């Protein structure tokens, strides 16, 4: 039997966060862009009822909470986002998270680094 899948996503959510391996990066902060996408079965008796979907404001709150504290690695932030989504929304079938760090301190001109995690049931 065919199934409709709903996808909710936030793209290029900008944060200025104290994330970086080096102490100076944590003190000065850096610019990051986060993408998150979640998919789940579309079982929606009323497409105008917010309770029948996942509110993307809730997604944003999770991103903001995870991107705020000091940490060394983007991998830990991506993992925290993934885990919070799994804990809060057991019905999610797929989650994709990517975090892009603008101008990491390795001397590249206009370079960025990206860390991504994916989950699928």
């Amino acid at each position: 039997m065919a199934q409709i899948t709903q996808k909710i996503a936030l793209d290029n959510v900008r944060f200025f966060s104290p994330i970086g391996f080096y102490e100076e990066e944590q003190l000065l902060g850096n610019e990051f862009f986060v993408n998150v996408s979640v998919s789940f079965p579309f079982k929606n008796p009323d497409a105008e009822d917010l309770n029948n979907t996942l509110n993307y404001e809730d997604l944003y709150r999770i991103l903001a909470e995870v991107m705020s504290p000091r940490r060394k690695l983007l991998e830990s932030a991506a993992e925290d986002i993934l885990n919070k989504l799994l804990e809060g929304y057991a019905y999610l079938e797929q989650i994709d998270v990517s975090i892009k760090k603008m101008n990491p301190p390795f001397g590249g001109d206009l370079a960025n680094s990206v860390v991504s995690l994916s989950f699928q049931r």
Side-chain angles (χ1 to χ4, degrees):
M1 177 160 191
Q3 174 180 296
I4 299 173
T5 299
Q6 182 169 348
K7 180 178 177 180
I8 305 289
L10 293 176
D11 291 328
N12 293 315
V13 182
R14 183 177 179 262
F15 294 98
F16 193 83
S17 302
I19 301 173
F21 182 76
Y22 302 105
E23 182 71 21
E24 182 177 320
E25 292 180 283
Q26 292 177 25
L27 292 173
L28 297 175
N30 204 340
E31 182 178 34
F32 298 87
F33 289 91
V34 181
N35 296 309
V36 63
S37 170
V38 299
S39 299
F40 50 93
F42 182 75
K43 297 176 183 170
N44 198 344
D46 180 359
E48 290 292 321
D49 187 348
L50 189 57
N51 292 315
N52 293 328
T53 187
L54 193 154
N55 187 342
Y56 53 80
E57 288 181 84
D58 293 339
L59 286 178
Y60 178 81
R61 278 192 273 284
I62 290 170
L63 300 183
E65 178 183 322
V66 170
M67 294 300 292
S68 294
R70 288 175 67 163
R71 61 175 77 225
K72 289 183 177 181
L73 298 179
L74 293 179
E75 287 84 348
S76 70
E79 182 181 24
D80 284 353
I81 291 167
L82 189 77
N83 287 335
K84 286 181 182 298
L85 288 169
L86 287 170
E87 291 168 10
Y89 307 96
Y91 56 88
L92 296 179
E93 292 183 345
Q94 184 167 348
I95 303 169
D96 295 298
V97 178
S98 69
I99 305 173
K100 180 189 296 185
K101 181 178 187 175
M102 305 305 292
N103 300 312
F106 53 71
D109 189 26
L110 298 175
N112 59 66
S113 57
V114 179
V115 169
S116 300
L117 292 179
S118 293
F119 167 85
Q120 187 166 357
R121 284 195 204 281

